[in-house]
Amino acid sequence: MLMVGLTGGIGSGKSAVSTRLAERGAVVIDADRIAREVVAPGSEGLAEIVATFGDRVLDAGGALDRAALGAVVFGDEVARRRLEAITHPRVRARTAELAAAAPSDAVVVNDVPLLVEVGLAPTYHLVVVVQAAVATRLERLERDRGMPRAEAERRIAAQADDARRRAAADVVLSNDGTLDELHAAVDALWRDRLLPYERNVREGRVARPERVVLTGPDPTWPQQYARLAARIRHAVAPADLRVDHIGSTAVPGLAAKDVIDIQVTVSSLDEADGPLADRLARAGFPRLPGDWWDNPRPAGNGRWAKRLHGSADPGRPAYLHLRVADSPGWRYALLMRDHLRADPDQRAAYLLLKRELAASAPDSGAYATAKDPWFDEEHLRAEEWAAQTGWRP
């Protein structure tokens, strides 16, 4: 199933998005509702809270007095962590239980207000952030919830800011307009990205662009790589594999196909063929069938074998090149990236070549093959640069 994280600041309209996704067919798991459930009267969670903080956190009816509990933990880091140690494991367990009960072809949307603050983004296939201007959010909180302005400002200030949420977001839904406009954006997301993404994950299929279209340079490519890399590291844990951004999108100022290339370092191809392949597939990076290799530099030294995975997300194409540590292909990928980063003349020459080939050989396979002669020469220049500078991968 596809696991989607949904978040947004208070007053942003996250609940409206959650409701619309449920109407489209998503299985929505509401973290706030679960947080209330695990401390309901008679629950083990409430009993442990009372044992930790005393009867002062109960109301006259024996239910949790959230205002009283908030007064106890507000500004007290130790108390807050003790509370989180009681509630968070229970919320996680109940969330996992509900997700496991969903159909195998479901799009499961986890509605989590503090998703960014608690570092949950890498645990999802996709993170959706609902965003609205602070002035709009303040107006909604005062109008719809009767919240005093000072309290609304305090609540907003206590959460992650928009920049931090955007850094974690694969999708940003703007909600400064009408409800109809928001619904249209949600419907397009559901139709064009979530449904095909779920199908690709379930069927182990990579979303592959067929034609070469140069875009950018896009200054957000490194940030997009960082999100993918965090997802990969979470998927392969407890293994601590080296993950690197390689290829043209890793070179600032260079136009490229809008595809993120990532190198995952393995100890052997046997490791790549083991449970690691399944973990990556479940995380949204299925393996491409067949044999894959890099052309050797210089030519004639045999193929440089590797394993190739790709992103199942139609909205974020990516390739994962699994190469053995210290192998020629592994070293070459890092050397080419670093030399192009360091040499503006060769970067400009490569960009010119890419544009010429994209116009004359728009097919992905032909485009890659046509670059080989240039890379044979670039390899010699890069090796000379490495020797002069003492470069190490």
Side-chain angles (χ1 to χ4, degrees):
M1 63 187 67
L2 190 74
M3 302 296 291
V4 178
L6 172 65
T7 193
I10 185 171
S12 63
K14 175 177 60 63
S15 296
V17 172
S18 177
T19 299
R20 187 65 170 184
L21 286 170
E23 291 171 353
R24 298 299 90 185
V27 174
V28 176
I29 300 175
D30 187 330
D32 272 348
R33 184 175 298 142
I34 295 173
R36 292 190 294 271
E37 176 186 317
V38 299
V39 295
S43 67
E44 292 181 359
L46 181 58
E48 189 170 348
I49 287 175
V50 173
T52 302
F53 299 104
D55 292 342
R56 57 182 170 161
V57 299
L58 296 176
D59 64 19
L64 182 65
D65 185 331
R66 294 184 175 276
L69 179 60
V72 172
V73 302
F74 183 76
D76 186 333
E77 182 72 9
V78 174
R80 183 179 64 81
R81 291 189 179 278
R82 289 166 68 192
L83 175 62
E84 290 173 349
I86 296 169
T87 59
H88 286 187
R90 288 178 168 86
V91 170
R92 286 194 296 268
R94 180 58 176 155
T95 298
E97 182 182 336
L98 292 172
S104 60
D105 62 349
V107 175
V108 177
V109 175
N110 291 264
D111 182 339
V112 186
L114 299 181
L115 183 152
V116 173
E117 288 84 344
V118 298
L120 291 177
T123 68
Y124 302 106
H125 291 103
L126 195 80
V127 171
V128 178
V129 169
V130 187
Q131 183 174 290
V134 171
T136 303
R137 293 162 63 190
L138 288 170
E139 179 184 344
R140 288 173 181 160
L141 292 173
E142 290 182 276
R143 180 192 67 218
D144 301 336
R145 303 193 194 182
M147 188 178 294
R149 188 175 187 87
E151 175 65 11
E153 290 174 342
R154 187 186 72 80
R155 295 276 192 101
I156 289 174
Q159 295 181 335
D161 61 20
D162 286 344
R164 189 176 169 195
R165 286 198 194 90
R166 280 195 300 270
D170 300 291
V171 177
V172 176
L173 293 176
S174 177
N175 187 28
D176 287 303
T178 66
L179 185 61
D180 285 344
E181 289 171 336
L182 180 64
H183 283 174
V186 174
D187 291 350
L189 172 65
W190 177 258
R191 178 187 65 245
D192 299 334
R193 192 163 185 178
L194 298 185
L195 286 180
Y197 193 177
E198 182 282 321
R199 184 169 57 250
N200 286 347
V201 170
R202 176 163 38 89
E203 297 178 357
R205 186 166 53 202
V206 173
R208 303 185 66 186
E210 296 299 327
R211 296 180 64 81
V212 176
V213 178
L214 295 185
T215 62
D218 185 340
T220 72
W221 277 332
Q223 194 174 73
Q224 294 182 55
Y225 154 76
R227 288 195 295 271
L228 296 172
R231 211 161 274 151
I232 292 166
R233 292 188 180 100
H234 176 78
V236 304
D240 185 17
L241 303 183
R242 175 171 173 174
V243 180
D244 290 281
H245 190 188
I246 59 170
S248 294
T249 61
V251 180
L254 190 61
K257 294 181 294 179
D258 190 17
V259 178
I260 305 295
D261 283 290
I262 299 171
Q263 179 164 275
V264 179
T265 302
V266 293
S267 60
S268 68
L269 291 181
D270 285 341
E271 180 186 17
D273 293 337
L276 178 63
D278 290 335
R279 292 175 186 168
L280 289 173
R282 287 195 299 271
F285 305 101
R287 181 170 167 175
L288 276 81
D291 295 327
W292 295 90
W293 61 86
D294 300 307
N295 292 329
R297 316 287 177 188
N301 290 338
R303 293 172 173 175
W304 292 345
K306 66 179 178 181
R307 301 295 183 260
L308 188 64
H309 289 240
S311 171
D313 179 5
R316 179 60 276 160
Y319 290 120
L320 277 58
H321 307 260
L322 277 64
R323 298 187 176 105
V324 176
D326 300 318
S327 66
W330 176 88
R331 181 182 183 278
Y332 176 79
L334 299 172
L335 174 60
M336 291 301 100
R337 177 199 66 187
D338 290 351
H339 183 234
L340 288 174
R341 284 176 174 176
D343 191 327
D345 292 336
Q346 291 309 317
R347 193 162 60 243
Y350 183 38
L351 177 57
L352 179 62
L353 173 71
K354 285 158 69 76
R355 285 176 171 158
E356 291 174 350
L357 293 180
S360 61
D363 172 78
S364 291
Y367 173 81
T369 301
K371 291 190 293 183
D372 275 348
W374 188 87
F375 271 112
D376 285 338
E377 296 180 4
E378 166 60 9
H379 174 253
L380 299 177
R381 291 188 292 264
E383 288 290 3
E384 182 178 353
W385 169 80
Q388 291 173 347
T389 60
W391 175 87
R392 293 291 182 273

